[in-house]
Amino acid sequence: MGTITHDNEVRALQRGRTVFDYADELAVRVATSCGRAGTCHECVVQIETGMEALCERTEAERFLRDPFRLACQAAVEDAGTDIEFAPLRRQPRVLTAGVSAAPDTDGAAPIDPAVTRRGDGVFLDGERIDRYHGRMLGLAVDVGTTTVAMELIDLENGETLRVSSFGNPQLFAGSDIMNRVSYDGGEFRGELQAAIVSGINSAILDIGRELGTKRRQIYEVAIAGNSTMRDLVFGVDVQTLGQKPYKSQVEHQYRDGQRATTALSSRPRPLGLIIHPQARVYGMPLIASHVGADTAADLVAMDMAGQSGLAMLVDVGTNTEVVANLDGRMIAASCPAGPAFEGGLVGYGMPAYEGAIERLHWRDGEFRYHTIGDAAPEGICGSGLIDLLAELRRHGKMTAKGVFTHDRRAKEIAVVPEYGITFSRLDASNLAQAKAANYCGQLIVTRALGVAPHEVDRLYLAGGFANYVDVQSAIDIGFLAPVAEDRIVKIGNAALRGTREVLLSVSRRRALEDLVTEIEHIELETAADFFEVFVDGCRLEPMGAATHQPRQP
């Protein structure tokens, strides 16, 4: 009888069982968000030996080449041949840089951190917590669903000592927030908190080895992240975020008058962080529901409170957040876009790994493309998918409803035929629905302010995905509001930048805690015409296409 092996752990093979079944048995963490249906493309494993013992690739695996399989699809056919496998360990491209939109927030700006020095003493909020050991450090952390970005800062002068990033180690529970919520509500509650804290601790130790800094010199940590990610770091039960009205337990307590703010504060030891034991871990405040602490940090980085006219922030992701400010009145919404633009639900969709097509244009009868790392193409990431949709529309190859014009019965077209990469009507439909969520957010939020999306004076795009998107392509398919390109500002990882600024300034921290209480939050689906707006948003054309025509090819 054959065996299956991972990291020297061995089990006997049984015909019909999948590699995922054995991963469970061997306690191997393999990510999934689709319930093992083969649609999320997350459970990629490398078959190191014994590929011939597995069934033929299924339709869900057509985007893969040897030696890779989806663990949920790869079933044993020959139980007499040995198999060895390992989970795929590739990291997506991570954007750690952020551009501040506020004129007074450069590195030379005055700072007023909570951690100060008087003589040989280190003080936190005026209370002595340690003797001075040559440095006082702070750590800003943006806990993203996929990646974590960190910035180590000298609290005495505001100097950035190191910016680093790593993949969120919670991915074994799935890439979607709701999968994380569900996982944490099961028998392994607390495991996600332990995983993310372990990742942060490992990064702290790595930085210390590189720079010669001591972990006990870190006297404050500021944490940003969406509502679920932030609460998981602090060990807060996140189950209420998965149930109507989809609010954090912390937000419920605030609204019931049990808390003065939605910000969190803790000593490091209860969380498991290996910094100075008298340090503080500060959780950035939430705005409302799934509009979380990362969006609050964005508002600091772009100085939303100081913006005049109509300014709008769009932080693009699996959940896109939209905040619009019209002369001091702010409205926010969360748009559940789903994973289509991040590699899920699209046949050859993939995250921004090396080999992903990130730019794509139709030239001389074929698609010309550029891949991340100039590697051979393996699939198409989000920015490439937006280009693809826009080019198909510009050149009359697809209708606004996602039908191929050369043959309305055609189910797919070739994109890079030499590598077998195709694009289907189902792919277009899934992308259109994900795009419609972004469309609804921007349209409904601006409408609530009594204005139209094209009237936005300044559109700020936050996040790594938005940083690489061709804005004209995004506008042409209705992914972004139809405003002139010179009114669009890409602010990169604004959440990390805003968290840094709050770490360095008690006054900014207090101002942010006040600001989030003034922001109105709307649930998009409560709009009377939400369904009609969503259907309009599924059309691959600009917002308000009746009055704003798409650019001609």
Side-chain angles (χ1 to χ4, degrees):
M1 177 178 288
T3 61
I4 187 165
T5 304
H6 172 268
D7 198 21
N8 297 321
E9 290 286 327
V10 182
R11 295 291 186 275
L13 284 180
Q14 181 178 338
R15 193 173 188 276
R17 298 192 75 194
T18 67
V19 173
F20 218 138
D21 293 332
Y22 287 105
D24 288 341
E25 191 173 315
L26 295 166
V28 180
R29 289 175 168 175
V30 178
T32 183
S33 290
C34 65
R36 309 187 185 192
T39 59
C40 70
H41 296 180
E42 292 172 23
C43 64
V44 178
V45 292
Q46 181 171 331
I47 306 301
E48 296 169 340
T49 61
M51 180 73 82
E52 66 276 12
L54 299 171
C55 66
E56 294 292 324
R57 280 195 176 86
T58 67
E59 181 66 15
E61 299 177 280
R62 61 179 181 161
F63 70 104
L64 291 173
R65 297 172 183 81
D66 287 346
F68 303 108
R69 296 293 302 267
L70 291 181
C72 69
Q73 302 292 300
V76 175
E77 279 200 347
D78 179 1
T81 300
D82 293 340
I83 300 171
E84 187 170 358
F85 78 98
L88 182 62
R89 302 298 187 200
R90 291 198 298 181
Q91 296 299 330
R93 176 174 55 189
V94 181
L95 182 67
T96 55
V99 179
S100 176
D104 63 342
T105 55
D106 59 27
I111 61 175
D112 60 316
V115 178
T116 56
R117 174 188 172 194
R118 294 202 298 269
D120 69 345
V122 176
F123 293 78
L124 175 62
D125 291 338
E127 177 185 348
R128 183 180 175 120
I129 61 171
D130 197 14
R131 182 169 61 85
Y132 183 68
H133 296 286
R135 265 180 168 163
M136 300 189 311
L137 304 178
L139 188 67
V141 185
D142 174 28
V143 183
T145 311
T146 304
T147 56
V148 179
M150 296 174 35
E151 186 170 350
L152 186 68
I153 301 158
D154 188 318
L155 294 176
E156 294 187 88
N157 57 25
E159 178 187 358
T160 295
L161 302 178
R162 178 59 55 90
V163 178
S164 62
S165 64
F166 58 92
N168 189 321
Q170 301 170 336
L171 280 174
F172 63 85
S175 63
D176 184 83
I177 288 171
M178 290 304 176
N179 283 92
R180 306 276 176 95
V181 170
S182 177
Y183 187 94
D184 199 57
E187 60 179 312
F188 300 113
R189 175 153 171 26
E191 190 172 344
L192 294 181
Q193 194 272 346
I196 187 60
V197 169
S198 176
I200 294 171
N201 284 340
S202 294
I204 289 172
L205 294 175
D206 288 344
I207 293 172
R209 282 189 288 268
E210 294 170 12
L211 301 182
T213 55
K214 307 296 184 184
R215 58 187 176 85
R216 290 174 68 97
Q217 292 174 320
I218 300 175
Y219 295 106
E220 189 166 36
V221 177
I223 305 283
N226 62 52
S227 302
T228 303
M229 293 299 102
R230 190 209 66 164
D231 282 6
L232 283 172
V233 173
F234 284 84
V236 175
D237 187 343
V238 295
Q239 295 312 297
T240 57
L241 281 159
Q243 306 159 5
K244 285 187 176 183
Y246 306 109
K247 295 185 184 299
S248 165
Q249 184 181 102
V250 175
E251 185 183 352
H252 281 299
Q253 292 169 351
Y254 167 74
R255 296 188 181 281
D256 290 343
Q258 300 173 29
R259 306 178 57 91
T261 175
T262 56
L264 290 173
S265 181
S266 174
R267 293 295 188 193
R269 186 163 290 165
L271 306 184
L273 283 171
I274 55 170
I275 58 176
H276 193 279
Q278 297 303 308
R280 174 168 55 207
V281 186
Y282 175 76
M284 301 280 280
L286 309 178
I287 295 175
S289 190
H290 287 284
V291 186
D294 50 353
T295 307
D298 289 342
L299 301 184
V300 177
M302 63 177 289
D303 187 27
M304 178 64 105
Q307 298 283 333
S308 59
L310 176 59
M312 184 162 67
L313 166 73
V314 179
D315 192 335
V316 179
T318 304
N319 272 322
T320 293
E321 288 77 43
V322 177
V323 183
N325 176 21
L326 179 59
D327 297 328
R329 184 188 176 195
M330 293 189 207
I331 298 180
S334 177
C335 320
F341 284 103
E342 296 184 341
L345 306 178
V346 176
Y348 283 91
M350 65 182 289
Y353 297 135
E354 184 174 290
I357 295 173
E358 62 173 340
R359 288 279 180 269
L360 188 145
H361 299 284
W362 179 260
R363 295 289 184 273
D364 302 323
E366 64 179 3
F367 287 108
R368 307 289 179 86
Y369 58 86
H370 179 266
T371 63
I372 297 173
D374 293 320
E378 298 179 24
I380 314 173
C381 66
S383 59
L385 290 167
I386 286 177
D387 278 350
L388 176 58
L389 291 172
E391 288 291 272
L392 289 171
R393 292 287 291 125
R394 288 169 185 157
H395 295 278
K397 296 183 175 299
M398 177 180 281
T399 70
K401 293 183 178 181
V403 177
F404 298 121
T405 55
H406 74 285
D407 180 356
R408 291 180 175 266
R409 294 171 298 177
K411 293 185 178 180
E412 68 177 23
I413 60 169
V415 178
V416 187
E418 61 270 32
Y419 285 91
I421 296 174
T422 61
F423 184 71
S424 71
R425 284 189 62 175
L426 180 59
D427 295 337
S429 175
N430 288 329
L431 290 168
Q433 292 179 64
K435 189 271 294 187
N438 291 277
Y439 177 105
C440 289
Q442 295 167 69
L443 185 67
I444 292 174
V445 164
T446 51
R447 189 176 67 181
L449 289 170
V451 293
H454 73 275
E455 296 179 86
V456 170
D457 297 306
R458 189 70 71 190
L459 175 59
Y460 294 95
L461 300 181
F465 177 26
N467 191 70
Y468 298 103
V469 165
D470 181 285
V471 294
Q472 191 58 57
S473 291
I475 289 169
D476 286 355
I477 64 169
F479 191 92
L480 291 176
V483 303
E485 288 191 54
D486 62 4
R487 287 189 270 156
I488 298 176
V489 181
K490 293 181 177 180
I491 55 177
N493 191 338
L496 186 62
R497 175 75 192 208
T499 306
R500 175 191 193 277
E501 293 181 14
V502 162
L503 185 66
L504 286 171
S505 175
V506 171
S507 58
R508 283 199 178 123
R509 186 178 311 187
R510 291 171 180 162
L512 177 62
E513 290 182 12
D514 290 338
L515 176 65
V516 297
T517 66
E518 300 169 2
I519 299 173
E520 302 169 43
H521 175 254
I522 57 175
E523 298 285 353
L524 299 179
E525 63 271 20
T526 63
D529 60 345
F530 172 75
F531 181 75
E532 289 80 1
V533 173
F534 184 85
V535 171
D536 287 343
C538 287
R539 294 179 61 85
L540 300 173
E541 57 189 10
M543 294 183 197
T547 54
H548 304 282
Q549 295 301 319
R551 186 178 68 180
Q552 296 301 312

